[in-house]
Amino acid sequence: MSQPTRLILFSVAVMATAAALAPIRAQTAAPAAPAAFNACRACHVVQKGAKSGLGPNLYGVVGRPAASVPGFNYSPAMKSSKLKWDEATLDAYLAGPAKKVPGTRMPIATPDPAKRAAIIAYLKAAK
């Protein structure tokens, strides 16, 4: 078999393998943040192992207790809140942080229920 023929066969094999693995990569890739999350980006990251910003890293937030990211300086109000971040709690908190946790340092509310739902779905998928 000639060198050009081998190169063509090798290229075809590589492309076929890449095409076959594409669905697997799509399933394991981090979900894309919705536009509603843009305001959150000013303070938060959602990446495993990433350093927190002005707000705590939100990777894996759904299901964990409030004020539980090691090394983050939470407000006394958040530390004593005893909240667990499930969908309902996140929805209420995002709708009015100071209403849900008086004394929290988070100043931004998301009054639109559809935007809150998009943010929560994104946070649920990010783990």
Side-chain angles (χ1 to χ4, degrees), residues 5-108:
T5 303
R6 282 188 204 142
L7 183 58
I8 291 170
L9 288 176
F10 177 75
S11 298
V12 169
V14 168
M15 289 186 295
T17 302
L21 293 176
I24 294 169
R25 263 185 292 190
Q27 291 173 1
T28 59
F37 192 77
N38 288 342
C40 310
R41 288 182 202 279
C43 299
H44 297 280
V45 296
V46 184
Q47 296 165 328
K48 185 176 185 176
K51 185 178 177 185
S52 294
L54 293 174
N57 184 341
L58 298 178
Y59 181 84
V61 69
V62 179
R64 78 177 180 216
S68 62
V69 172
F72 187 79
N73 183 24
Y74 290 96
S75 67
M78 189 57 73
K79 288 179 190 176
S80 65
S81 72
K82 308 252 190 276
L83 296 176
K84 182 173 181 178
W85 296 122
D86 57 24
E87 290 179 58
T89 304
L90 280 165
D91 186 59
Y93 186 72
L94 292 172
K99 192 173 190 180
K100 182 70 177 169
V101 181
T104 186
R105 292 184 187 137
M106 186 162 128
I108 298 173

